[in-house]
């Protein structure tokens, strides 16, 4: 069976190019089989630890888990050997081609002149065997990352570096002159590590690890409360007042979470450097165990995004992402290829933003944002003070009906009303939009506040959307379509008439034909 993932029209070529097209197909490095099953080394440590604690008292669940682990390792090794034997790739004068699969054959090709970025990654197992993975981005938005990139996972690091340089060796017409030697724009400062624990995932990550270890020990028939040290700690906590015991447990979990966040920060951002290279390339390297190297053409940059989760906003810090065509989307800020800096003070973020955009100052820092109508506040108050408590009350009611909670616990939903009002007010105050000489600047969000500076010449279209309730309130959600980032920048709950006027001024000539047709109303129907 055969399925072609992507095809491109092939232009006429010269005899010399046709000779290059006949280059031999290459295989991945054979050591990739060992690299691909290396992920099993991580679960091996807790598995062996649990077997040692069991000390010959392994129950049926334990033997099943051990046997399953061995079977998974064997299947993974066989799968990777087949992948190695059936995967071929080659570089020609015009395109990059990849073929893979045994039963379901996949063929993917990317024209060389459509390459927008190259992301070189090497995890600890890759580095142990001298290998790397190269992700070649095209900048297309088709809903899935595998449709937007071609991945060569399992080539030598030297070959990966050469291929990245070859793919991005192009003359650019960027916003500023290309330097003759690399120019350092930023580097990681260890003082920024203080911002690493300021994330909602700090405690959640610890709870996930504790739950996973507890489930693993339970599968081996091990009751942690009956172990020596654990039993002593449990008895000590039981002797304390309930409030004190809960506070001690939370403090310990937070301490573990903070330590884990600091370790993750060091692993992800060790050796971080952001440089402008000859040829108009923006290049970033970072990572202690897993090294990551990202290059993107500056002419593909369409703007920046400053991200401030609530704890970082309280500390007047932020993260900054570059909006560029070709960079894949990733929700994990530790592995996000578009993130230029770790969480850092706002002053440092604005400084790097200005350097990346070739501006004297950050457009986000200079923009004067216009607020949104009071109807937008009413919508947020409705969600925060009515809908959220009602949803929580429904959940608590369901638990109470099953006997897991007493009925008086429903009163806890009412406690969310004042907090909902505070967050609704904060979300409304966070709404804003404005124009600078070359950028559209948009701000929104409360738990995670995002401020985007999008180049006005990078906007390829506008989209307006009104729900029934927005229509009654005279509001509209305006979205700027672009080829970078998520592909769209939303401006929620604008005044409908102001939205059309704003879009018309931001990109001259784009909306005039539609506004003439709809002069009698704020939106075409």
């Amino acid at each position: 069976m055969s399925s072609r993932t992507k095809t491109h029209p092939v232009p006429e070529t010269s005899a010399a190019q046709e000779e290059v097209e006949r280059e031999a197909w290459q295989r991945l490095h054979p050591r990739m089989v060992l690299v691909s099953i290396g992920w099993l080394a991580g679960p091996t440590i807790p598995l062996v630890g649990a077997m040692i604690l069991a000390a010959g008292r392994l129950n049926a669940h334990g033997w099943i888990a051990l046997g399953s682990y061995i079977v998974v390792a064997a299947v993974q090794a066989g799968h990777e050997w087949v992948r190695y034997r059936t995967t071929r790739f080659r570089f020609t004068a015009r395109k990059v081609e990849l073929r893979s699969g045994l039963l379901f054959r996949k063929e993917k090709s990317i024209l060389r002149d459509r390459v927008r970025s190259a992301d070189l990654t090497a995890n600890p197992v890759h580095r142990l065997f001298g290998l790397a993975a190269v992700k070649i981005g095209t900048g297309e938005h088709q809903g899935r990352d595998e449709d937007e990139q071609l991945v060569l996972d399992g080539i030598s690091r030297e070959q990966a570096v050469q291929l990245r340089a070859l793919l991005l060796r192009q003359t650019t017409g960027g916003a500023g002159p290309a330097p003759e030697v690399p120019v350092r724009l930023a580097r990681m400062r260890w003082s920024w590590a203080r911002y690493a624990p300021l994330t909602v995932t700090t405690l959640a990550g610890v709870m996930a690890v504790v739950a996973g270890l507890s489930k693993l020990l339970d599968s081996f028939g091990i009751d942690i409360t009956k172990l020596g040290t654990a039993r002593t700690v449990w008895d000590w906590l039981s002797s304390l007042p309930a409030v004190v015991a809960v506070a001690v447990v939370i403090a310990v979990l937070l301490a573990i979470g903070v330590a884990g966040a600091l370790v993750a920060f060091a692993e992800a951002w060790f050796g971080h450097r952001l440089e402008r290279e000859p040829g108009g390339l923006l290049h970033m390297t970072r990572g202690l165990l897993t090294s990551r190297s990202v290059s993107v053409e500056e002419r593909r940059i369409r703007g920046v995004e400053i991200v401030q989760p609530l704890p970082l906003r309280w500390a007047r810090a932020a993260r900054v992402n570059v909006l560029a065509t070709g960079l894949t989307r990733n929700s994990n800020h530790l592995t996000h290829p578009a993130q230029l800096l770790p969480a850092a003070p706002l002053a440092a973020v604005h400084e790097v933003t200005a350097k990346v955009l070739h501006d004297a100052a950050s457009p986000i820092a200079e923009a004067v944002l216009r607020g949104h109508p009071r109807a937008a506040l009413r919508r947020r108050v409705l969600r925060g003070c009515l809908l959220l408590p009602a949803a929580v009350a429904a959940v608590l009611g369901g638990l109470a009906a099953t006997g897991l909670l007493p009925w008086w616990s429903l009163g806890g939903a009412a406690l969310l009303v004042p907090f909902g009002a505070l967050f609704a007010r904060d979300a409304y105050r966070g709404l804003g939009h404005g124009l600078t000489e070359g950028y559209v600047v948009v701000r929104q969000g409360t738990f995670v506040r995002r401020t985007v500076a999008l180049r006005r010449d990078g906007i390829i279209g506008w989209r307006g959307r009104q729900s029934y309730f927005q229509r009654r309130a005279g509001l509209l959600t305006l979205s700027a379509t672009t080829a970078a980032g998520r592909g769209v920048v939303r401006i929620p709950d604008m005044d409908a008439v102001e939205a059309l006027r704003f879009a018309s001024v931001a990109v001259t000539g784009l909306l005039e034909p539609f506004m003439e047709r709809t002069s009698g109303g704020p939106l075409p129907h």
Side-chain angles (χ1 to χ4, degrees), residues 412-427:
L415 299 177
L416 294 176
V417 173
F419 291 102
L422 289 175
F423 284 121
R425 181 70 181 178
D426 183 71

Side-chain angles (χ1 to χ4, degrees), residues 183-372:
V183 175
R184 178 174 293 182
L185 304 181
R187 63 179 179 85
M188 191 270 288
R189 300 176 184 175
W190 286 108
S191 60
W192 296 346
R194 65 184 184 272
Y195 300 116
L198 299 181
T199 169
V200 294
T201 59
T202 298
L203 183 59
V206 175
M207 298 300 294
V209 172
V210 170
L213 290 176
S214 176
K215 187 172 182 62
L216 176 64
L217 293 174
D218 182 67
S219 67
F220 282 93
I222 301 174
D223 186 354
I224 192 172
T225 61
K226 294 181 180 180
L227 299 177
T229 304
R231 185 63 189 177
T232 302
V233 173
W234 179 262
D235 291 339
W236 176 71
L237 288 174
S238 300
S239 65
L240 298 175
V243 175
V244 177
V246 170
V248 169
V249 171
I250 292 177
V252 171
L253 292 178
L254 283 176
I256 296 174
V258 168
L262 293 175
V263 171
F265 172 86
E267 196 286 324
W269 293 101
F270 180 84
H272 167 262
R273 296 193 313 276
L274 179 65
E275 297 176 330
R276 177 172 289 117
E277 293 189 337
L281 294 178
L282 197 66
H283 180 66
M284 181 183 66
T285 57
R286 62 184 175 96
L288 179 60
L289 299 178
T290 299
S291 64
R292 177 178 290 273
S293 178
V294 181
S295 296
V296 61
E297 293 177 306
E298 288 194 278
R299 64 173 178 169
R300 309 297 179 185
I301 295 176
R302 298 293 179 264
V304 294
E305 176 188 45
I306 291 181
V307 183
Q308 293 179 284
L310 193 58
L312 283 182
R313 184 149 55 94
W314 288 340
R316 294 192 59 78
R319 300 192 298 264
V320 57
N321 301 329
V322 63
L323 303 180
T325 59
L327 289 180
T328 57
R329 299 182 295 276
N330 191 328
S331 59
N332 187 347
H333 69 89
L334 292 177
T335 59
H336 200 314
Q339 187 173 339
L340 300 179
L341 291 177
L346 274 176
V349 168
H350 289 315
E351 180 183 355
V352 171
T353 296
K355 291 180 179 179
V356 169
L357 298 178
H358 292 277
D359 289 332
S362 168
I364 293 178
E366 288 197 328
V368 178
L369 302 185
R370 183 171 182 175
H372 288 213

Side-chain angles (χ1 to χ4, degrees), residues 321-518:
N321 301 329
V322 63
L323 303 180
T325 59
L327 289 180
T328 57
R329 299 182 295 276
N330 191 328
S331 59
N332 187 347
H333 69 89
L334 292 177
T335 59
H336 200 314
Q339 187 173 339
L340 300 179
L341 291 177
L346 274 176
V349 168
H350 289 315
E351 180 183 355
V352 171
T353 296
K355 291 180 179 179
V356 169
L357 298 178
H358 292 277
D359 289 332
S362 168
I364 293 178
E366 288 197 328
V368 178
L369 302 185
R370 183 171 182 175
H372 288 213
R374 299 287 293 182
L377 173 61
R378 292 195 294 270
R379 284 171 56 83
R380 280 149 185 79
V381 170
L382 176 66
R383 296 170 188 166
C385 297
L386 294 180
L387 300 183
L388 179 61
V392 173
V395 173
L396 294 177
L399 295 175
T402 59
L404 296 177
L405 289 177
W407 284 103
W408 56 262
S409 63
L410 288 174
L415 299 177
L416 294 176
V417 173
F419 291 102
L422 289 175
F423 284 121
R425 181 70 181 178
D426 183 71
Y428 173 70
R429 294 179 62 185
L431 288 175
H433 61 278
L435 293 174
T436 67
E437 184 177 352
Y439 295 88
V440 169
V441 182
V442 180
R443 185 183 64 201
Q444 62 172 307
T446 181
F447 294 107
V448 179
R449 179 161 294 174
R450 300 178 183 272
T451 309
V452 175
L454 178 64
R455 287 176 56 128
R456 292 161 73 167
D457 58 7
I459 297 175
I460 58 179
W462 291 101
R463 183 177 61 194
R465 182 180 180 275
Q466 282 182 310
S467 67
Y468 171 76
F469 296 103
Q470 281 180 312
R471 214 162 36 239
R472 290 180 60 87
L475 301 177
L476 178 146
T477 295
L478 184 67
S479 299
T481 305
T482 180
R486 296 179 177 85
V488 65
V489 175
R490 296 174 62 250
I491 315 177
D493 291 339
M494 298 180 68
D495 177 81
V497 177
E498 164 65 18
L500 291 179
R501 185 182 300 112
F502 178 82
S504 177
V505 174
V507 185
T508 306
L510 187 60
L511 284 187
E512 274 70 6
F514 301 96
M515 295 181 71
E516 290 174 0
R517 294 179 195 171
T518 61

